[in-house]
Amino acid sequence: MKKLSLLLSFLFLFTGCNSYTELNDLGIINMIGIEKKENNYNLYATILEKEKEDEEPTNTLYEIKGETIQESFNHLSLRLSKKIYLSHLDLLVINDSIKTNELNNLINFFLNESESRNNFLVVTTNNIKDLLENAKFQEINNLVKINEETTSKSIYTTMFDVMNNYYSKKPIYFTNLDATKNISINGLTKLEKNKYEFINENKSLFINYLINNISSLKINLTCDSNKYLYLNILSSNTNTIKDTLIITNEIKVITNDCQLNKDSINKKINTYLQNNIKEFTSQDIVIKNTIRSVYEKH
């Protein structure tokens, strides 16, 4: 009955029929940042608040610390004199202080929080406080999502992805954001074997390509002086057989100024792809292409 009452309260809360009392009773968190400094976890949390009943809710940023993540949230709850509510968490921001051990603690914290979801966005940045002070979740969400769909230079990594890759012992890729002035995408950060590696945005699209995260990948190659081969990878799929990475592509040739045949196109695109993705995997790579069409110059 208590859970039903709480659910009904939030239905009213987020459909415009909320009461001032409900916001005063719960600390509703929509964005958090976590970093490890010395022996403490620094927690940054934006809380949905309003001072008067007829005002629109606003976000207030709180900073707190504790020896564990749970202790940090306990301290925040005591400071607010409210029960912390994580069901509406939309964004988690971390930096390179959150390595394997800290990530394990973070995952366990969310697994033990019955009210927490695991579909919220996780990003990295060099300045957590600036990012949370200067942007709203929806702005960051749109920035990461749109760039993933249009340029393949970002990755929309959720907490579910983090958990899945962590337990599968796979590299975890995060979109890295710069909060110095306007919020912008730097590229990606890769966490593997307790180390972070920065990947600039020009190389980020090959990570998306490797993990089957692109709907299309446009490539412009020089095939002769002032002549180009313009390709669009419409779909790709990766499978691992023993230690070999098998990649299959469906490719549309948009422009073929050099009038290369399919065998020559295959050779050229495979050389290009292998040279760009071999630094991201230690596996042998075999690429198989299906060419949908070839533009013939008349």
Side-chain angles (χ1 to χ4, degrees):
M1 191 68 182
K2 183 177 180 182
K3 288 185 177 180
L4 178 60
S5 176
L6 187 60
L7 176 61
L8 290 174
S9 295
F10 275 97
L11 286 174
F12 282 108
L13 176 63
F14 289 95
T15 54
C17 301
N18 54 296
S19 71
Y20 179 56
T21 305
E22 287 161 352
L23 278 177
N24 277 348
D25 289 341
L26 294 171
I28 302 170
I29 299 179
N30 52 24
M31 299 190 293
I32 62 173
I34 296 179
E35 63 181 344
K36 186 74 178 290
K37 281 193 175 181
E38 298 176 349
N39 295 323
N40 288 316
Y41 285 92
N42 285 5
L43 169 66
Y44 304 86
T46 59
I47 310 292
L48 193 65
E49 295 181 327
K50 61 179 182 177
E51 296 182 1
K52 297 179 181 180
E53 189 167 357
D54 57 350
E55 289 182 348
E56 288 294 320
T58 58
N59 286 324
T60 304
L61 180 64
Y62 289 86
E63 300 178 46
I64 211 81
K65 65 176 60 177
E67 292 185 4
T68 66
I69 296 172
Q70 183 64 65
E71 185 178 273
S72 297
F73 277 95
N74 291 344
H75 289 168
L76 178 62
S77 180
L78 289 172
R79 180 172 172 181
L80 296 171
S81 298
K82 296 179 180 182
K83 179 183 180 335
I84 297 302
Y85 194 76
L86 289 170
S87 181
H88 292 278
L89 179 63
D90 289 316
L91 176 70
L92 168 62
V93 185
I94 61 175
N95 59 22
D96 59 9
S97 68
I98 304 298
K99 296 185 171 63
T100 304
N101 184 60
E102 291 77 22
L103 188 62
N104 179 64
N105 294 337
L106 193 58
I107 289 171
N108 287 334
F109 170 78
F110 284 109
L111 286 175
N112 291 325
E113 282 291 319
S114 60
E115 293 174 345
S116 174
R117 301 172 291 120
N118 61 12
N119 62 345
F120 53 85
L121 176 63
V122 186
V123 299
T124 59
T125 188
N126 58 346
N127 194 319
I128 294 175
K129 185 177 179 181
D130 279 356
L131 184 66
L132 295 182
E133 279 184 333
N134 297 319
K136 297 179 180 179
F137 164 72
Q138 197 58 52
E139 296 170 345
I140 296 174
N141 177 74
N142 291 340
L143 178 67
V144 175
K145 197 69 176 176
I146 291 172
N147 273 274
E148 180 188 73
E149 293 173 351
T150 59
T151 69
S152 297
K153 293 180 179 180
S154 64
I155 291 181
Y156 196 93
T157 301
T158 66
M159 194 62 190
F160 175 82
D161 299 321
V162 172
M163 292 175 179
N164 184 59
N165 285 23
Y166 176 82
Y167 289 119
S168 301
K169 297 184 178 179
K170 295 179 180 179
I172 305 172
Y173 295 99
F174 305 97
T175 296
N176 184 263
L177 300 178
D178 184 3
T180 306
K181 294 180 181 178
N182 298 323
I183 308 300
S184 60
I185 294 176
N186 278 333
L188 304 178
T189 48
K190 171 186 174 183
L191 175 58
E192 184 178 24
K193 297 180 180 178
N194 211 38
K195 292 182 179 180
Y196 279 86
E197 176 189 351
F198 175 72
I199 301 167
N200 67 43
E201 61 178 349
N202 290 327
K203 293 185 177 182
S204 296
L205 58 90
F206 294 102
I207 298 298
N208 274 305
Y209 170 72
L210 272 176
I211 63 175
N212 304 327
N213 205 40
I214 60 168
S215 56
S216 70
L217 174 59
K218 293 181 175 63
I219 299 169
N220 199 15
L221 302 176
T222 302
C223 57
D224 203 346
S225 57
N226 298 320
K227 293 184 179 180
Y228 299 94
L229 178 65
Y230 188 32
L231 308 171
N232 186 11
I233 299 179
L234 303 173
S235 64
S236 64
N237 185 53
T238 60
N239 291 292
T240 299
I241 300 176
K242 294 183 178 180
D243 293 326
T244 301
L245 185 65
I246 310 294
I247 305 176
T248 58
N249 298 313
E250 181 184 0
I251 299 176
K252 181 178 181 180
V253 180
I254 302 172
T255 301
N256 184 12
D257 289 344
C258 295
Q259 299 188 32
L260 301 178
N261 60 32
K262 290 185 178 181
D263 288 340
S264 298
I265 292 172
N266 264 311
K267 183 177 180 180
K268 197 165 189 67
I269 186 62
N270 285 1
T271 299
Y272 173 78
L273 291 172
Q274 287 185 349
N275 287 342
N276 279 281
I277 66 177
K278 65 183 180 181
E279 64 182 289
F280 302 119
T281 177
S282 59
Q283 296 174 293
D284 292 331
I285 305 168
V286 173
I287 301 176
K288 300 178 181 180
N289 300 318
T290 299
I291 308 295
R292 273 190 48 182
S293 60
V294 178
Y295 169 78
E296 296 289 350
K297 191 172 182 180
H298 298 287

